[in-house]
């Protein structure tokens, strides 16, 4: 059964004045042995394992089932598993993929803006620690699901609602993970 939900938003000048904007979010369920990524991303988001990619904004990728691998400019290949949250930093080369043996379920949001940059810096997110163990967190899972649902709407308020939902996700990660607040 395919539960994939995703959307891409065009950033407008109004979105930038808000200080936090969302450019994409979604949910993908990747079965064992399936090709990855599971759908065609627009230019700027497309990647494959061989080449990886560099995003212009932050991304949070929450793995809720299965396991796989993450690698970035700042860390060597690292195993990720259900309950891990991958933090992708702007301008940093990275790549990730589920294990062909297990697949995985991923929830993601890509966001940017001046407020987002300040929030991420003040919360002590660190490119040398891009994989955070947040565990099975129903509230965080639901926040990602709600964001994906918001992006399926077609009202003019979608960018504002998506920004608020992304802010909530960031706040939940900060609340859940001690490294985001302790600096240890």
């Amino acid at each position: 059964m395919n539960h994939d939900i995703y959307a891409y938003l065009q950033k407008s000048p109004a979105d930038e004045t808000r200080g936090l904007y969302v450019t994409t979010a979604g949910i993908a369920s990747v079965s064992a042995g399936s090709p990855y990524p599971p759908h065609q991303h627009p230019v700027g988001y497309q990647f494959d394992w061989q080449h990886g990619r560099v995003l212009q904004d932050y991304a949070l990728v929450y793995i809720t089932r299965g396991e796989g691998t993450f690698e970035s400019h700042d860390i060597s290949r690292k195993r990720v598993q259900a309950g891990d949250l991958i933090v992708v930093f702007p301008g940093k080369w990275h790549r990730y993929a589920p294990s062909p043996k297990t697949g995985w379920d991923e929830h993601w949001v890509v966001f940017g803006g001046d407020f987002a940059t300040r929030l991420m810096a003040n919360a002590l997110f660190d490119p040398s620690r891009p994989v955070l163990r947040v565990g099975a967190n129903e509230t965080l899972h639901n926040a990602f699901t709600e964001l994906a649902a918001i992006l399926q709407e077609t009202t003019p308020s979608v960018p504002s609602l998506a920004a608020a939902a992304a802010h909530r996700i960031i706040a939940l990660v900060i609340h859940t993970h001690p490294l985001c607040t302790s600096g240890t």
Side-chain angles (χ1 to χ4, degrees):
M1 180 180 225
N2 187 340
H3 295 83
D4 293 357
I5 302 170
Y6 55 91
Y8 296 87
L9 299 176
Q10 293 286 60
K11 178 176 58 172
S12 73
D15 296 331
E16 291 207 34
T17 62
R18 189 177 303 110
L20 193 155
Y21 56 82
V22 172
T23 58
T24 180
I27 302 168
S29 183
V30 182
S31 301
S34 294
Y36 187 83
H39 51 77
Q40 185 68 23
H41 295 285
V43 172
Y45 299 96
Q46 185 59 30
F47 73 100
D48 60 45
W49 181 259
Q50 181 180 0
H51 299 101
R53 71 175 170 195
V54 175
L55 293 174
Q56 299 308 307
D57 294 312
Y58 290 96
L60 301 178
V61 183
Y62 184 37
I63 307 302
T64 57
R65 179 193 60 82
E67 63 182 48
T69 304
F70 172 78
E71 185 175 5
S72 76
H73 175 266
D74 296 299
I75 67 159
S76 59
R77 200 171 292 187
K78 182 171 178 57
R79 179 177 177 254
V80 294
Q81 58 190 344
D84 285 345
L85 182 105
I86 300 167
V87 182
V88 175
F89 292 83
K92 298 281 189 174
W93 176 88
H94 66 280
R95 60 186 179 178
Y96 52 84
S99 165
K101 293 180 182 178
T102 64
W104 71 18
D105 290 350
E106 64 182 14
H107 299 68
W108 76 89
V109 58
V110 177
F111 60 94
D114 293 340
F115 177 69
T117 299
R118 287 192 311 275
L119 186 60
M120 296 296 284
N122 289 336
L124 304 177
F125 287 98
D126 183 346
S128 69
R129 295 187 317 252
V131 178
L132 304 176
R133 182 83 188 143
V134 296
N137 184 313
E138 185 177 347
T139 304
L140 183 60
H141 183 266
N142 289 342
F144 273 101
T145 302
E146 290 165 10
L147 174 55
I150 288 168
L151 292 183
Q152 300 307 298
E153 297 178 18
T154 57
T155 64
S157 61
V158 166
S160 294
L161 291 170
H167 188 186
R168 180 170 182 245
I169 289 168
I170 297 163
L172 287 168
V173 172
I174 293 167
H175 175 74
T176 302
H177 201 277
L179 284 178
C180 294
T181 54
S182 69
T184 59

